[in-house]
Amino acid sequence: MGMLHVGRITRIDLPDAVLAHVHAVLIAKLRVHEPVLVGWTGPDGRRDEVFVHPSMSLVVRYDADDALGLDRAWLERLMRSANGVGGLQLTDEMIDAMRALGADVGAKGSAVEPAG
């Protein structure tokens, strides 16, 4: 389980395969100075959201040392979400589906270069 720290107060725990995709989308948005709303369900079952702005620091810590491949279809889906009015919403269903990518991404043929 990796961690995404946004600023000094927000921490989101995500499986490494999911974190790699979210990280790539956030970096793409922040490189062009576009803020993005990120929402997720916290451990207590409540919905949390943070508005990520280019001036905020992001710290990403992966559980595994291995470089992770990225699935182009999931990157596009997450980017569409990030560009929408509701922002990048990390639902439990999306996280569960993406978690399966950890083993699959290399075999699909739609993978892009590892994050990092």
Side-chain angles (χ1 to χ4, degrees):
M1 183 75 61
M3 294 176 289
L4 170 66
H5 294 268
V6 181
R8 293 182 175 197
I9 58 170
T10 304
R11 172 181 157 178
I12 308 169
D13 294 321
L14 296 168
D16 282 359
V18 177
L19 180 58
H21 288 79
V22 170
H23 183 206
V25 168
L26 289 176
I27 293 303
K29 295 289 284 180
L30 298 178
R31 278 187 177 154
V32 294
H33 303 283
E34 291 181 5
V36 62
L37 181 67
V38 179
W40 69 98
T41 302
D44 59 1
R46 296 173 63 181
R47 290 289 301 161
D48 292 316
E49 290 186 338
V50 62
F51 189 71
V52 181
H53 189 273
S55 65
M56 299 173 80
S57 63
L58 290 180
V59 177
V60 178
R61 180 173 299 157
Y62 294 96
D63 188 42
D65 291 334
D66 301 335
L68 299 168
L70 300 174
D71 182 82
R72 188 174 313 278
W74 271 107
L75 286 174
E76 290 172 3
R77 181 175 178 179
L78 291 174
M79 187 58 83
R80 278 193 306 274
S81 175
N83 287 334
V85 174
L88 180 56
Q89 295 298 317
L90 303 172
T91 64
D92 290 337
E93 295 80 18
M94 180 182 288
I95 290 172
D96 288 343
M98 290 181 66
R99 183 176 291 157
L101 290 176
D104 292 349
V105 93
K108 284 186 171 184
S110 62
V112 295
E113 291 300 312

